[in-house]
Amino acid sequence: ALLGIRAITVRSISVASVLLLGFVCYDVALVFGTDIMAVVMKEIEAPIDFRMAKSLDPVAKVSLLGLGDVVIPGVILSFLKRLGDGDERGAPYFASASAAYLLGLLVALVSNP
């Protein structure tokens, strides 16, 4: 995940917006519209997902979170951090986006069936 975040550098808010909009469309079409990603995550032996146990029971279901759900927001947070470092007016964007991303991850992990 860190290599992906370091490899992709976003230099403007318009590129960041297009990137996020593209991945929202991708999620709606392929993740929520079909079961393609669930099949890929279960059948490919590669580190492409994060799994979190829903309870301490070893046979209980796990929550799945795709690698793209970490890398793409990480790229955006990296951009906002650089924006805040260069200009004091940009600092609140990084803090608020980080908090929103953390909250979104927690909601996704808890609500995943």
Side-chain angles (χ1 to χ4, degrees), residues 23-37:
F23 276 99
V24 165
C25 293
Y26 167 82
D27 272 352
V28 169
L30 291 178
V31 176
F32 298 114
T34 66
D35 64 344
I36 292 172
M37 291 310 296

Side-chain angles (χ1 to χ4, degrees), residues 98-113:
S98 297
Y101 177 54
L102 179 63
L103 179 64
L105 275 179
L106 291 174
V107 169
L109 288 172
V110 169
S111 66
N112 192 352

Side-chain angles (χ1 to χ4, degrees), residues 30-99:
L30 291 178
V31 176
F32 298 114
T34 66
D35 64 344
I36 292 172
M37 291 310 296
V39 171
V40 169
M41 289 176 85
K42 290 177 184 172
E43 294 187 9
I44 292 182
E45 293 295 325
I48 58 171
D49 64 346
F50 295 97
R51 296 170 190 244
M52 185 177 99
K54 289 199 166 253
S55 72
L56 296 176
D57 183 12
V59 295
K61 289 186 174 185
V62 296
S63 291
L64 295 174
L65 190 65
L67 189 60
D69 296 324
V70 175
V71 172
I72 301 305
V75 168
I76 303 302
L77 287 174
S78 173
F79 166 71
L80 292 174
K81 177 67 174 150
R82 284 192 315 276
L83 179 70
D85 287 347
D87 185 0
E88 287 300 316
R89 294 177 295 171
Y93 294 118
F94 176 73
S96 60
S98 297

